[in-house]
Structure formats: structure tokens, C-alpha cells
Amino acid sequence: MKIFHNTRHAEHAGRQEMFRGRMVDCHEVPARLQHVLDELARRPVGTLHTPAHDLPLDAALRRVHSADYLDFLTNAWNEWVAMDPANAQRDALPSVWPLASRHGFRTDAPPHNFAARLGQYAFDSGTPLMAGSWAAAREGAACALAAAQAVLSGERCAFALTRPPGHHAGPNFMGGYCFINNAAVAAQALRDGGLARVAVLDIDYHHGNGTQTCFYERDDVFTVSIHGDPRTEYPFFLGHADERGAGTGEGFNLNLPLPRGTGFEAWFGTLQRALQAVSDFAPQVLVVPMGLDTFEGDPISGFTLRSADYLQVGRALGSLGLPTVITMEGGYAVAEVGINAVNVLEGLKG
Ligand code: Q9C
Ligand code: ZN
């Protein structure tokens, strides 16, 4: 297994996120990735790599994200500081949103005010953007692209070990700690590399709304997500079982929401259902946005998986016998995230 790790991840280190009317310390912290690297040093289930510098990254990003959104991310920090030099000391967070389609606000006349543009592209106020966020997110996407290329070159399994995570980011929006959808970049690169059918199986606690949106009207990328029921769990406004895809994509999205409090037995039964659906689709390759926030000790989530369970999760994923790209998503029980992530990888290796 090849593991591509993001050497620039720590340049993104948000301080606080807005949560129910107050600022709380960020959960998505650099130590998360370091714990995975530390565990990999103890249990080397794969070889560590960094993505090559000459990857066609910009082209790969444009296959998933809109040009205006990529421009926005590229310039965001400079524009934030240009609003007020004192902003250099503060992370950028939005506090005004267009809510266009439902409330009659216009999207055809985008404001010049940068704080307003932040609200145009971000769907929550929990995703701080800072000086190094774009560099970190870009290098993370390079890890995902490198992992896809490794699998296209015959590697059985490749892991993009990166943060910030990606699965909440869509074609033209950020949120849920995510800026660039690494799993979507990998899936699209696999398609562009000649594989006709790609399955994405998202096992993060939160619904993979960004990935779903990227591929919702397509039948060449089958998206499946097992997650906390959006009636009570983030991201709330997407992730219901009746979202089955649209147009040519109808029948090519599967949401498997589970109630908060779900334990391993029921979760694993649902995983088996997801694996059957993936196998019925007969993909050439599997992409797994891997969140470890299904863990019982996760501070912001509500399932109760234990560390040993992740070995079985990995074995079940490996049982499909498909070439597999894994991207690192959530998982906020920082001290255990390394053990849990490497358990999945070890199980997957078989
Ligand atoms: N203060 C991922 O797992 N809201 N994103 C949490 C807690 C946002 C999770 C509120 C959760 C986003 C990649
Ligand atoms: Zn999550």
C-alpha cells in the first residue's frame, strides 16, 4: 500500500469555529494527522510517499470544482487581509449568506465585499480559512491525485493521508472543515484515467454531501454514504434515504442514514448492505472517504464503534477485492485517531 501524506497540512490550523452562538476551539487540528503518522511508524502497513511536484493538479481540480470557486480559494486570504489589515490576526469566517433560491436573494450580482463572498461560498461558520488553508488543501488534493494515479498504475491500495478533510466540499462550496473534495478529485482522476465505473463508499459519521452533489446526475460514479441521520446530525440539509440521484444519475446515489447512538453491530450490517450495492454496480475501483468519527469516543459524533471494530471494517472493505483509494476525512478523538485509521488499513490489507 502506498501512503501519500500531506507535508503542508499544518499550515491550516484554524483556531475557533462558531458553534451554537459561541466560538469553540477547532476539532479539526494538525495533531490528528501526526497521530496517524506516529501509528504508521509503529505499524508500517504501507510505504510513505509525497506527491510528485509535476502532477497535473490544476487540471484535476478543475474537473471537480468551478473556476470561480478555485479563484476564490486562491485569493481568499489576501482579500480577507485587504479588507482590514487587522484581519491578518483572525481566521476568516462568514456571517452572512445569500440563501438565494429559497428567499429571493440574487446570485447574479455577486457582492465585491469579501466577507459577503465568503458567505456565498461557505455553507457554515465552522470552517475557518487562514493564511495557509489553500496551500494545505491544494497539497492534500495532490495526495488524492497521486493515490489515484498509483492505483491506475496497478497498486492494489493507496491512501491519501491528509487534512483538512474534503467530503463536505462541493463543486463551488466549502464547509464542514472541507475546502477541496479529495475523494471526488480521486474518483474523477480514476474516471479520466480510463476506468469506466467508480464507486465511492463514504464511512465518515457525517453525510458526504459534497461528494453526493459532485456526482448526483451521473451514472459512472456510484456514491454511497453511511452516516448519522440528517434529521438530527450535521450537515442536516442533505443525506436522506430518498436522495437517489437525478437524471442519468437516478439510482446511482445511495444514502444509508442511521440514528445517533447506533453501535457496531447495526452499523456493520449497514456496511454489508452498502458493500452489496457497490458490488452490484460492478465498479473497477473503490474510493473510500474514511472518517474515524464513528468512534465511541468522538467528541462531536454519535456512533459507538470501538478501536478493534475498525480492523473488521477494513477486512470488509477489502473483501470486495477491488483496487482502492482511501482519503482521510473526519475523526476528532485525537489520541485514538491513529490507531483507528491504521486498524482500517491493516484490515484492508488482509
Ligand atoms: N462543534 C467532517 O467530519 N459541526 N466534518 C460540528 C461541533 C461540523 C465534520 C459542530 C462537523 C463537520 C469532515
Ligand atoms: Zn465527519
Side-chain angles (χ1 to χ4, degrees), residues 251-262:
F252 296 91
N253 184 75
L254 176 62
N255 282 334
L256 300 167
L258 293 169
R260 187 177 185 89
T262 294

Side-chain angles (χ1 to χ4, degrees), residues 13-347:
R15 281 162 277 208
Q16 294 199 305
E17 56 188 74
M18 174 69 89
F19 180 64
R20 298 184 188 167
R22 70 198 158 108
M23 300 304 291
V24 300
D25 290 345
C26 281
H27 296 281
E28 202 291 287
V29 293
R32 299 176 58 243
L33 193 141
Q34 192 54 49
H35 277 283
V36 182
L37 282 173
D38 291 349
E39 188 62 20
L40 284 169
R42 283 188 281 271
R43 283 191 286 158
V45 295
T47 51
L48 276 182
H49 306 264
T50 53
H53 293 294
D54 58 354
L55 291 176
L57 179 60
D58 288 309
L61 290 175
R62 283 197 296 267
R63 294 287 287 145
V64 168
H65 295 284
S66 68
D68 66 302
Y69 176 60
L70 292 169
D71 284 347
F72 162 78
L73 286 179
T74 305
N75 302 317
W77 182 253
N78 287 342
E79 293 193 37
W80 174 247
V81 176
M83 285 193 93
D84 176 354
N87 277 355
Q89 308 309 317
R90 306 173 188 126
D91 297 347
L93 284 177
S95 52
V96 59
W97 289 270
L99 286 174
S101 58
R102 291 187 300 119
H103 300 289
F105 282 99
R106 290 177 62 168
T107 52
D108 61 325
H112 296 182
N113 179 293
F114 178 74
R117 290 182 58 223
L118 198 49
Q120 183 190 328
Y121 288 109
F123 69 81
D124 68 14
S125 57
T127 309
L129 188 154
M130 50 187 301
S133 300
W134 176 231
R138 230 182 107 78
E139 181 67 8
C143 293
L145 179 57
Q149 290 195 346
V151 163
L152 285 167
S153 307
E155 196 73 26
R156 162 76 214 289
C157 181
F159 176 35
L161 172 51
T162 187
R163 55 168 294 282
H167 76 147
H168 294 302
N172 57 1
F173 58 83
M174 52 179 274
Y177 315 152
C178 303
F179 301 91
I180 293 292
N181 193 315
N182 302 311
V185 167
Q188 186 60 49
L190 292 162
R191 282 289 296 110
D192 293 340
L195 300 181
R197 285 186 310 281
V198 178
V200 180
L201 172 48
D202 189 318
I203 58 169
D204 187 279
Y205 178 75
H206 305 95
H207 173 242
N209 65 289
T211 323
Q212 170 171 316
T213 299
C214 286
F215 300 112
Y216 204 62
E217 298 185 14
R218 288 170 50 172
D219 61 4
D220 56 333
V221 179
F222 178 42
T223 44
V224 186
S225 180
I226 306 170
H227 50 265
D229 189 329
R231 287 178 293 188
T232 60
E233 307 307 298
Y234 185 94
F236 305 113
F237 300 104
L238 207 66
H240 300 275
D242 65 353
E243 298 155 15
R244 299 189 59 255
T248 17
E250 192 167 350
F252 296 91
N253 184 75
L254 176 62
N255 282 334
L256 300 167
L258 293 169
R260 187 177 185 89
T262 294
F264 181 63
E265 208 181 319
W267 188 91
F268 195 69
T270 303
L271 178 67
Q272 267 153 351
R273 218 183 121 194
L275 291 171
Q276 184 60 54
V278 166
S279 142
D280 292 345
F281 175 69
Q284 277 94 23
V285 63
L286 177 67
V287 176
V288 180
M290 179 181 71
L292 292 314
D293 41 11
T294 49
F295 179 58
E296 60 177 349
D298 197 273
I300 66 167
S301 308
F303 294 163
T304 61
L305 275 64
R306 303 191 172 169
S307 289
D309 297 333
Y310 291 101
L311 285 162
Q312 244 182 278
V313 174
R315 278 186 220 114
L317 294 170
S319 72
L320 289 178
L322 289 168
T324 302
V325 172
I326 302 161
T327 60
M328 179 77 182
E329 304 293 343
Y332 309 101
V334 176
E336 290 93 352
V337 76
I339 292 165
N340 295 345
V342 178
N343 277 0
V344 176
L345 303 179
E346 190 179 312

